[in-house]
Amino acid sequence: MAKKSKKQQQSGGTPATVALTAAGVPFTVHSYDHDPSHPSYGEEAAEAMGVSPDRVFKTLVADVDGALTVAVVPVAGQLDLKALAAAVGGKRAAMADPALAERTTGYVRGGISPLGQRKKLPTVLDESATAHTTICVSAGRRGLEVELSPGDLTTLTSATLAPIGRP
């Protein structure tokens, strides 16, 4: 696949979809009308797309021993901060300040994608992703998801696979 031009990027592509296109990775874009009153971005995405919540993954930014780290876990569960810290050889993890996460990734909360971030951060993908042929992650804005193979996501983000999610 060809790399999108600046004009194409401005006409609807996000840094995440541009990165996928540039890498030549097959993906599908799913768009839906975001409801600002919905209590969960991830659950809203799963409902809107008619996809099981265990196949839709949310992107969270945590602070592990002073370093920002990306965690990608199913929307049906929660992030286990201790497991995340252990997965990257750290001792303590806490959720990052939302404003710092937005500045560092270049995305807004509820639309943070593990792909095409302004600054590449260490990434950990919950190992449950490997049970699926494809998973969905944010495409870089609320109401937009990309579906791709967990293997491609792992490769493009240089992610570590680890059991970081909990029900």
Side-chain angles (χ1 to χ4, degrees):
M1 293 184 197
K3 189 172 181 178
K4 289 189 177 184
S5 69
K6 193 111 171 143
K7 186 175 181 181
Q8 288 172 310
Q9 291 175 35
Q10 293 170 349
S11 68
T14 65
T17 60
V18 169
L20 287 165
T21 301
V25 169
F27 66 97
T28 303
V29 175
H30 298 277
S31 180
Y32 60 92
D33 290 327
H34 167 61
D35 176 3
S37 67
H38 200 289
S40 166
Y41 297 116
E43 289 174 12
E44 176 191 25
E47 291 166 11
M49 295 185 303
V51 174
S52 172
D54 65 339
R55 277 192 50 230
V56 179
F57 283 65
K58 56 189 169 187
T59 306
L60 304 170
V61 181
D63 179 317
V64 179
D65 296 337
L68 292 182
T69 303
V70 173
V72 185
V73 296
V75 301
Q78 296 180 335
L79 171 61
D80 181 335
L81 288 166
K82 286 184 180 181
L84 175 64
V88 296
K91 293 183 181 187
R92 292 186 147 189
M95 294 307 298
D97 173 71
L100 179 60
E102 289 179 345
R103 273 193 318 273
T104 304
T105 64
Y107 294 118
V108 297
R109 196 169 64 90
I112 294 178
S113 177
L115 300 156
Q117 295 180 356
R118 183 176 289 148
K119 179 180 179 189
K120 188 169 181 162
L121 299 171
T123 301
V124 182
L125 174 61
D126 185 68
E127 66 184 11
S128 68
T130 62
H132 308 285
T133 305
T134 61
I135 60 171
C136 297
V137 297
S138 176
R141 70 173 180 251
R142 297 172 189 153
L144 195 66
E145 297 277 312
V146 288
E147 182 176 350
L148 73 164
S149 79
D152 286 338
L153 180 62
T154 301
T155 300
L156 290 174
T157 59
S158 303
T160 300
L161 286 170
I164 59 168
R166 63 176 185 221

